[in-house]
Structure formats: structure tokens, C-alpha cells
């Protein structure tokens, strides 16, 4: 079945269960489960229930769409995202982004956990993504272009909406939260980077490195959907001799920084 038809079936299904138009979509990154508590929830739909949604291979990791209100706006949030390293195709990884756009969202707020390579960064910092480097990932637009969704050769000179970046910076400042800025370097994972790789990423212009987001942003840009994205710096690639990175410390650092991220996103939504 053509993807357009699949998307229509998914959105029809959702609209029967939740007949409202969300204004913004939110992607919750690793360790940001608590963020959902901020949402005045109106409807939750498990991914496993949605026609054509990728089927989760990991038990207990199925995830759900949360519909409700945050910052006085109708939103849809993805609690759990699909990663390329889990074995999903780039089209599957980005399928929910297309669904949210077709449901009517006008803004996409993305969060993620990332490793810092900028030597000024510390664990727990938030970084507003100003740009990304996608050359180490598989571009999700490879293959036949669906002109109904967007152009064959999308411009990528401003993948992260300038106006949303300004609003985000202003909101962080008004909340007294330090917000770093930088370039997100996308990788596939699931290995964390070697010392040589972290160094290379820094030399190539990355400030942080992570295993998500870039494919989602490319699909959003393809559809003309304005994006703002914030990384939580959960570990440091440029590091001490015996500093080993674990998934547990990534989740812990993300959970600790989560209230700062929630406050910024909530304030940003209220000011849209
Ligand atoms: N590298 C890649 N992805 C990550 C990292 C990292 O150091 N930390 C969190 N996600």
C-alpha cells in the first residue's frame, strides 16, 4: 500500500478516537518520561493499536501517543520514539512525524539525549540545536519522492526554525535557565562513539552527538513543518582517561534535567 494511503488510514483512525486538531507535536527523548505528567491528558493511544505504525520489537517499549493540553495548547506527544538502531527503516522511524503533521500540527518540539563534544559543555546542560550534520545517518528521503508530502530536493539551509529558536532562547532566559546552543551530529548508534570518533565529530563541527532527531527533522522540513529541538547533554565524549559511558547514566542525567526542558517547552507553547 502506498504510504499516502497508509497515513490516511492512521490519521482517520486517530481522528475517530480524538476529534480535535493538535497545534503542536512533541517528541519526548530518552529519560524524559516524567514530562508526560505535565500534560493535561485527554486521550492516549498505544502505538500497537495504530494501523501502519511500526511494531515495537522490544517488550515494554511500545510507547504511545498522548493527546491533551500543555501551556494552554492542544498538543500531541510521542512518549517513546523509534530509532534506526532498533532495526526500523528510516521510513518507519519518521512515520509518526508525518502522522502528526497530517493531524494538523503547526510546530514540532523535539527533545533528545546527546553526548557533549563541545569542551565547554557539562552533563545536565541543555543545548538548543541550531543546525545538524546528517552525513553519518541514512537519509529518510532516499527512494521515491512522494510529491504530495514534499519536494524531491528539500532546502536545508534552515532546518531549525529561526523564529522558534528566538522564542525558545527568550523563554529559557526568562526562566533563568542556561541554554547552550550548537550543532547536533547525527549517528546511527547503538554503540557510543570511540574516543577517536568523538574527537572527529568535534573537528567536523559538532557540539553534541546523538542517535535520533536528524531523520525526524529531515521529514519535518520535507513537509514544511517548523521544528525546534533541544538536547540534554547526558555524557561527555571528550573525557577523562577512564570515563566509560553507559545507557543508565544517560537516562539518569536526562531525567535530572527534565524539569528544565519541560518548563521551556511549556512556556514556549504558551507563547506560540
Ligand atoms: N553518543 C551518541 N548518542 C548519545 C550519546 C553519545 O555520547 N549520549 C546520549 N545519546
Amino acid at each position: 500500500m502506498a504510504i499516502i494511503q497508509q497515513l490516511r488510514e492512521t490519521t482517520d483512525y486517530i481522528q475517530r478516537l480524538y476529534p480535535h486538531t493538535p497545534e503542536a507535536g512533541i517528541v519526548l527523548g530518552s529519560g524524559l518520561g516524567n514530562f508526560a505528567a505535565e500534560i493535561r491528558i485527554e486521550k492516549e493511544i498505544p502505538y500497537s493499536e495504530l494501523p501502519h505504525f511500526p511494531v515495537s520489537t522490544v517488550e515494554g517499549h511500545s510507547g504511545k501517543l498522548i493527546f491533551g493540553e500543555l501551556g494552554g495548547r492542544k498538543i500531541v506527544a510521542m512518549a517513546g520514539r523509534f530509532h534506526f538502531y532498533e532495526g526500523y527503516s528510516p521510513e518507519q522511524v519518521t512515520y509518526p512525524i508525518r502522522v502528526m503533521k497530517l493531524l494538523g500540527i503547526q510546530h514540532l518540539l523535539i527533545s533528545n539525549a546527546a553526548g557533549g563534544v563541545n569542551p565547554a559543555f557539562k552533563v545536565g546542560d541543555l543545548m538548543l540545536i541550531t543546525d545538524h550534520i546528517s552525513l553519518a545517518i541514512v537519509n529518510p528521503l532516499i527512494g521515491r519522492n512522494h510529491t504530495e508530502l514534499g519536494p524531491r530536493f528539500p532546502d536545508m539551509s534552515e532546518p531549525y526554525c529561526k523564529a522558534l529558536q528566538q522564542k525558545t532562547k527568550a523563554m529559557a532566559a526568562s526562566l533563568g535557565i542556561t541554554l547552550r546552543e550548537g550543532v547536533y551530529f547525527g549517528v546511527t548508534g547503538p554503540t557510543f562513539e570511540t574516543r577517536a570518533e568523538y574527537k572527529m565529530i568535534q573537528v567536523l563541527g559538532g557540539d553534541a552527538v546523538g542517535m535520533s532527531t536528524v531523520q525526524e527533522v529531515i521529514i519535518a522540513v520535507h513537509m514544511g513543518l517548523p521544528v525546534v529541538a533541544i538536547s540534554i547533554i547526558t555524557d561527555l565524549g571528550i573525557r577523562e582517561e577512564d570515563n566509560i559511558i553507559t545507557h543508565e547514566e544517560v537516562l539518569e542525567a536526562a531525567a535530572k534535567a527534565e524539569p528544565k526542558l519541560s518548563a521551556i517547552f511549556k512556556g514556549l507553547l504558551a507563547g506560540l
Side-chain angles (χ1 to χ4, degrees):
M1 189 190 294
I3 188 166
I4 306 291
Q5 180 61 24
Q6 292 184 342
L7 286 164
R8 198 166 295 133
E9 289 184 8
T10 309
T11 53
D12 282 352
Y13 184 91
I14 292 170
Q15 280 161 344
R16 273 198 297 276
L17 294 177
Y18 184 76
H20 308 284
T21 302
E23 295 166 72
I26 304 173
V27 183
L28 301 179
S30 303
L32 296 175
N34 284 338
F35 187 103
E38 302 280 328
I39 302 167
R40 202 172 59 71
I41 297 172
E42 293 168 356
K43 182 78 195 165
E44 294 182 321
I45 310 177
Y47 294 156
S48 57
E49 194 184 309
L50 288 169
H52 308 301
F53 246 60
V55 176
S56 178
T57 48
V58 191
E59 224 172 303
H61 265 258
S62 52
K64 59 191 171 189
L65 286 182
I66 301 174
F67 294 86
E69 213 178 277
L70 184 67
R73 305 274 161 207
K74 284 248 182 283
I75 59 107
V76 50
M78 288 176 64
R81 56 147 63 93
F82 300 98
H83 299 88
F84 185 66
Y85 65 73
E86 293 172 272
Y88 299 108
S89 70
E91 197 164 273
Q92 289 176 311
V93 166
T94 55
Y95 190 80
I97 306 295
R98 286 176 160 155
V99 167
M100 291 193 290
K101 172 69 165 72
L102 295 177
L103 286 174
I105 65 165
Q106 292 158 44
H107 308 280
L108 181 63
L109 282 54
I110 295 182
S111 61
N112 62 49
V117 295
N118 182 321
F121 289 1
K122 292 186 182 59
V123 169
D125 280 353
L126 299 187
M127 184 190 89
L128 179 69
I129 303 181
T130 55
D131 206 345
H132 72 222
I133 296 174
S134 70
L135 305 179
I137 60 130
V138 178
N139 194 303
L141 293 174
I142 290 173
R144 200 193 124 213
N145 187 54
H146 305 285
T147 44
E148 308 93 314
L149 299 176
R152 171 75 288 187
F153 299 107
D155 172 69
M156 289 296 282
S157 60
E158 194 189 306
Y160 300 85
C161 172
K162 276 268 154 51
L164 284 178
Q165 287 185 52
Q166 289 308 329
K167 284 187 178 171
T168 306
K169 285 197 270 187
M171 181 46 58
S174 77
L175 291 166
I177 296 168
T178 304
L179 185 60
R180 312 270 196 176
E181 294 176 37
V183 173
Y184 181 91
F185 192 103
V187 293
T188 66
T191 44
F192 290 115
E193 291 63 44
T194 64
R195 290 168 191 280
E197 287 162 352
Y198 281 120
K199 211 186 291 173
M200 178 201 79
I201 288 164
Q202 187 190 18
V203 167
L204 291 180
D207 294 291
V209 51
M211 307 175 194
S212 66
T213 301
V214 173
Q215 291 177 327
E216 297 160 358
V217 171
I218 289 171
I219 288 302
V221 170
H222 184 238
M223 299 182 92
L225 175 63
V227 178
V228 67
I230 294 178
S231 291
I232 295 179
I233 304 299
T234 54
D235 53 85
L236 299 173
I238 308 293
R239 58 205 155 114
E240 302 297 317
E241 210 42 52
D242 57 354
N243 183 5
I244 292 166
I245 297 172
T246 66
H247 184 53
E248 286 67 35
E249 78 176 292
V250 167
L251 294 182
E252 195 184 312
K256 223 184 263 174
E258 182 271 331
K260 293 194 286 183
L261 182 98
S262 302
I264 295 175
F265 274 0
K266 196 170 168 180
L268 179 64
L269 287 166
L272 285 178

